[in-house]
């Protein structure tokens, strides 16, 4: 079984953090889109990582994930979400670049 690799790139632009919407991109929409548009092992680029919904979908669908995020609070949120989600699975390799 192949390990899932999660890579998160820090961006260092000088901008204010965005205001969160009340709504969150639905997990089922993201998962269905990835399922239809990619294969197991494909690399998924998420240039606006946010809360990490696409990363969680990639774990479930066995896709590789490369997320880019400007704001540290969203990077931390996504890392915590991945760790909480993957507490029983040690197959994820997590790199922060």
């Amino acid at each position: 079984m192949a390990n899932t690799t999660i890579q998160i790139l820090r961006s260092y632009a000088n901008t204010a953090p965005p205001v969160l919407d009340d709504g969150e991109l639905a997990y089922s929409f993201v998962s269905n889109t990835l399922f239809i548009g990619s294969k197991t092992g494909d690399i998924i680029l998420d240039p606006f990582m946010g809360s990490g919904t696409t990363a969680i979908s990639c774990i479930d669908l066995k896709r590789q994930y490369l997320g880019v995020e400007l704001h540290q609070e969203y990077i931390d949120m996504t890392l915590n979400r991945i760790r909480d989600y993957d507490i029983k699975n040690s197959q994820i390799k997590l790199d922060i670049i």
Side-chain angles (χ1 to χ4, degrees):
M1 173 186 276
N3 291 343
T4 298
T5 300
I6 305 288
Q7 294 184 333
I8 299 170
L9 304 177
R10 284 194 175 103
S11 178
Y12 295 99
N14 254 349
T15 61
V19 175
L20 284 176
D21 272 346
D22 288 343
E24 181 181 343
L25 187 59
Y27 169 85
S28 60
F29 174 78
V30 173
S31 292
N32 289 337
T33 302
L34 292 176
F35 181 77
I36 292 167
S38 64
K39 306 180 296 236
T40 299
D42 280 357
I43 299 170
I44 305 301
L45 173 63
D46 184 2
F48 307 102
M49 188 171 65
S51 65
T53 300
T54 304
I56 298 298
S57 295
C58 286
I59 293 168
D60 287 341
L61 296 172
K62 297 182 179 18
R63 273 49 168 182
Q64 304 302 308
Y65 176 81
L66 176 60
V68 180
E69 181 54 57
L70 178 65
H71 303 287
Q72 185 63 46
E73 60 267 29
Y74 290 114
I75 293 172
D76 295 340
M77 181 189 314
T78 298
L79 291 174
N80 289 332
R81 190 170 177 196
I82 290 167
R83 288 182 187 121
D84 290 346
Y85 186 80
D86 191 52
I87 201 148
K88 296 178 184 174
N89 179 2
S90 61
Q91 297 295 318
I92 293 178
K93 179 183 174 207
L94 185 58
D95 295 327
I96 300 175
I97 303 170

